Amino acid sequence: MFDSEPASSGLLSSVRKLLDSGLAAVQNRAELLAVEFQEEKEHTTGLVMWITLCLFFGIMTVLVLTATIILIFSEEWRVYVAGALTLLYLIGAIWAVLGLKARLKNRAMPFSSTVEEIKKDREWLLK
C-alpha cells in the first residue's frame, strides 16, 4: 500500500517554506519602511531647525536694520522710509514663501523606495 504521510509531509514543508518566504519579504519591507520613516523624521527635524534659525536671525537683522535706517532720516521722512521698507519686506516675504514651496515640491515622495519594492513584488507575483 501507499504511505500518504511522506506526501503530506512534503506538502506541509512546501507550505512552510512558502509562508517563511512571504514573511521574510514582509519583514524586509517593514524594515525598509522603518529606515525610510527614520530618514523622513531626521529630514523634518533638520528642516524645522533651519527654518527656526533663519526666522530668528532674519527677524533680528531686519528689526535692527530697519530701526537704524529709520533713525538716520529726519522726522518728516521717517514715515515714508518706514512704508518703503515695509513694501520691501513684503516683497521679500513673498519671494521666500515661493522658494520654500518650490523646495518642498521638488522633494521625492516619502517612502518611495518602499513603494517601488512593493510594486516589484506585485509584478513578480503576477508572472
Side-chain angles (χ1 to χ4, degrees), residues 27-54:
Q27 179 184 359
N28 183 281
R29 299 309 177 250
E31 289 170 356
L32 179 60
L33 183 65
V35 168
E36 286 189 305
F37 183 76
Q38 182 65 31
E39 288 174 357
E40 286 301 316
K41 181 179 156 189
E42 290 172 6
H43 175 263
T44 302
T45 302
L47 187 64
V48 168
M49 181 192 72
W50 281 108
I51 289 171
T52 302
L53 287 172
C54 288

Side-chain angles (χ1 to χ4, degrees), residues 34-124:
V35 168
E36 286 189 305
F37 183 76
Q38 182 65 31
E39 288 174 357
E40 286 301 316
K41 181 179 156 189
E42 290 172 6
H43 175 263
T44 302
T45 302
L47 187 64
V48 168
M49 181 192 72
W50 281 108
I51 289 171
T52 302
L53 287 172
C54 288
L55 287 173
F56 174 75
F57 287 115
I59 289 170
M60 293 305 294
T61 301
V62 168
L63 284 173
V64 173
L65 181 63
T66 300
T68 303
I69 291 172
I70 290 173
L71 291 174
I72 288 174
F73 286 87
S74 64
E75 252 184 79
E76 59 207 36
W77 288 98
R78 287 182 184 165
V79 172
Y80 300 111
V81 172
L85 289 172
T86 300
L87 182 62
L88 178 68
Y89 299 150
L90 176 62
I91 292 168
I94 292 169
W95 172 78
V97 166
L98 293 175
L100 181 60
K101 285 174 77 173
R103 179 179 171 95
L104 293 173
K105 183 179 180 181
N106 292 334
R107 179 121 164 71
M109 184 179 91
F111 310 111
S112 59
S113 296
T114 299
V115 171
E116 286 301 315
E117 287 300 318
I118 290 172
K119 283 181 183 177
K120 287 179 188 176
D121 292 345
R122 289 184 68 204
E123 289 173 5
W124 180 79

Side-chain angles (χ1 to χ4, degrees), residues 1-14:
M1 308 288 196
F2 295 104
D3 190 11
S4 64
E5 198 168 313
S8 65
S9 173
L11 180 63
L12 186 60
S13 176
S14 295

